[in-house]
Amino acid sequence: MTPIALMGIGKIAVDQHVPAIAASPDWDLAATISRNGSVPGVEAFTDIEAMLDARPDIPVVSLCLPPVPRFAHAMRALRAGRHVMLEKPPGATLAECHALEATARERDLTLHATWHSRHADMVPAAKAWLAHRTLRRLHVTWKEDVRRWHPGQAWIWEPGGMGVFDPGINALSIVTEIVADPIHVTSAVLEVPEGRQTPIAADVAFHHPTAAVTAVFDWRHEGDQTWRIEAETDDGTLTLDDGGARMAVDGTAAAGEADALAGEYPRLYARLADLVAAKAVDMDLRPMTLVADAMTLGRRVAVAPFED
Ligand code: NAP
């Protein structure tokens, strides 16, 4: 097993990365870097430079920080000759993602920009089903309760935190994976709570060669949470639900696993092992480009203040 270091021991590290690494045949969690968090039995650092100096035997660093502070740490790790895995979104800006990619390629290192939702159970089946059909309409409905999923996370409301696009980019990572033709943003309306910097809801329209493609993202949704993509084609309608975990064609459900999201992070770490073995870069920035363009083109509408 190859030693790996994990930086940013917060919600997603504890919920997904630590268990996925523990269950992996490829990786041994050898160090953490976090100002407040740690993992029992694992050497803990509070500073990445200290870890890089003390542990030259660790060739890979996985970064679970929010996007804004991530670039500086990713660059330090690459410059120290380490392979790097990035949580989504891969950075705060596209330019810094390009800079990381150039550095990784110059040094023959792996850079893995992860999109965990692409590894939900039914995404490959949806891609295969759509591949031979002409898309007529695609609509994303991503409605969840921010208080439930991001309690106390101030960074999501700050510049670079993306607001509702933090989960919304997961939908866009699936759409860009399963739809063969490229799409781009043509218009957007961004609802921004007074006193906040990022949208709590967004409506986005996209150009596609044959289909009307639209998305609605909303963080004020209590009760049943909705992570749905509907795709109408010339030969039937596909529905992906629960963030890619369940699929139906013309209302008939495809067989799937009971806990169909459980495989996402194990698959990301298996892919990391393949990429590191090949010293390959996987840096697909299409989902982030769509969000950046929605933020550039979007009409801002002020809505009621949001309190955590
Ligand atoms: P989080 O718990 O708020 O933050 C993760 C950790 O990053 C924190 O515990 C903190 O650790 C460190 N950190 C935060 N701000 C920092 C700063 N300015 N400088 C250095 N370290 C900082 O966030 P999260 O929910 O785990 O999300 C992290 C990333 O994972 C985001 O990009 C998010 O989109 C993605 N993600 C989240 C989820 C989810 O359900 N939450 C799901 C999938 C992906 P220390 O204070 O201990 O250093």
Side-chain angles (χ1 to χ4, degrees):
M1 289 206 287
T2 306
I4 189 168
L6 192 60
M7 181 166 194
I9 306 302
K11 185 170 188 324
I12 198 61
V14 170
D15 288 357
Q16 297 288 347
H17 290 256
V18 171
I21 293 169
S24 167
D26 301 307
W27 302 108
D28 171 34
L29 184 57
T32 59
I33 309 117
S34 205
R35 298 162 308 180
N36 304 293
S38 61
V39 174
V42 177
E43 186 175 10
F45 295 84
T46 53
D47 175 76
I48 193 166
E49 291 292 355
M51 190 285 292
L52 293 168
D53 287 348
R55 296 295 305 266
D57 60 308
I58 299 179
V60 185
V61 182
S62 178
L63 297 175
C64 308
L65 310 171
V68 169
R70 204 176 305 133
F71 171 79
H73 302 296
M75 198 53 113
R76 279 191 195 102
L78 289 171
R79 288 192 173 138
R82 315 303 165 88
H83 306 286
V84 168
M85 172 159 145
L86 304 167
E87 248 300 352
K88 50 65 51 171
T93 69
L94 288 162
E96 66 183 37
C97 295
H98 292 308
L100 291 177
E101 180 170 355
T103 302
R105 289 192 189 280
E106 272 163 29
R107 291 164 195 244
D108 219 7
L109 293 166
T110 286
L111 184 62
H112 183 200
T114 62
W115 299 108
H116 65 87
S117 291
R118 285 185 176 172
H119 295 273
D121 269 18
M122 287 299 163
V123 171
K127 181 176 183 171
W129 189 87
L130 284 171
H132 306 293
R133 292 173 170 84
T134 302
L135 192 64
R136 296 291 183 220
R137 189 186 80 93
L138 183 141
H139 184 65
V140 172
T141 310
W142 230 246
K143 293 187 174 183
E144 61 176 56
D145 181 356
V146 63
R147 290 189 177 90
R148 187 159 145 193
W149 302 104
H150 296 275
Q153 291 187 333
W155 61 265
I156 56 174
W157 299 108
E158 292 299 317
M162 287 194 178
V164 76
F165 287 113
D166 178 75
I169 203 168
N170 298 334
L172 299 175
S173 76
I174 297 175
V175 171
T176 48
E177 174 68 12
I178 65 177
V179 173
D181 289 305
I183 60 171
H184 64 261
V185 174
T186 52
S187 68
V189 176
L190 313 175
E191 294 185 43
V192 182
E194 280 178 33
R196 303 284 190 174
Q197 296 291 320
T198 58
I200 195 165
D203 273 303
V204 188
F206 305 85
H207 174 269
H208 178 276
T210 63
V213 177
T214 49
V216 55
F217 307 105
D218 200 327
W219 246 351
R220 299 163 298 196
H221 190 74
E222 295 173 6
D224 284 348
Q225 308 287 281
T226 305
W227 298 284
R228 164 172 280 205
I229 298 170
E230 293 165 277
E232 283 176 28
T233 73
D234 59 337
D235 179 29
T237 297
L238 172 105
T239 311
L240 268 181
D241 269 309
D242 295 346
R246 294 191 298 115
M247 174 174 136
V249 172
D250 294 331
T252 303
E257 299 294 321
D259 189 1
L261 293 177
E264 290 185 357
Y265 281 80
R267 288 180 196 125
L268 286 180
Y269 277 97
R271 169 120 182 96
L272 179 65
D274 292 344
L275 290 169
V276 168
K279 293 187 177 172
V281 170
D282 182 351
M283 192 73 168
D284 179 4
L285 296 176
R286 286 175 296 164
M288 188 154 160
T289 302
L290 295 174
V291 171
D293 286 358
M295 294 288 214
T296 303
L297 207 53
R299 178 176 297 280
R300 267 110 180 127
V301 177
V303 295
F306 173 82
E307 304 302 336
D308 272 320

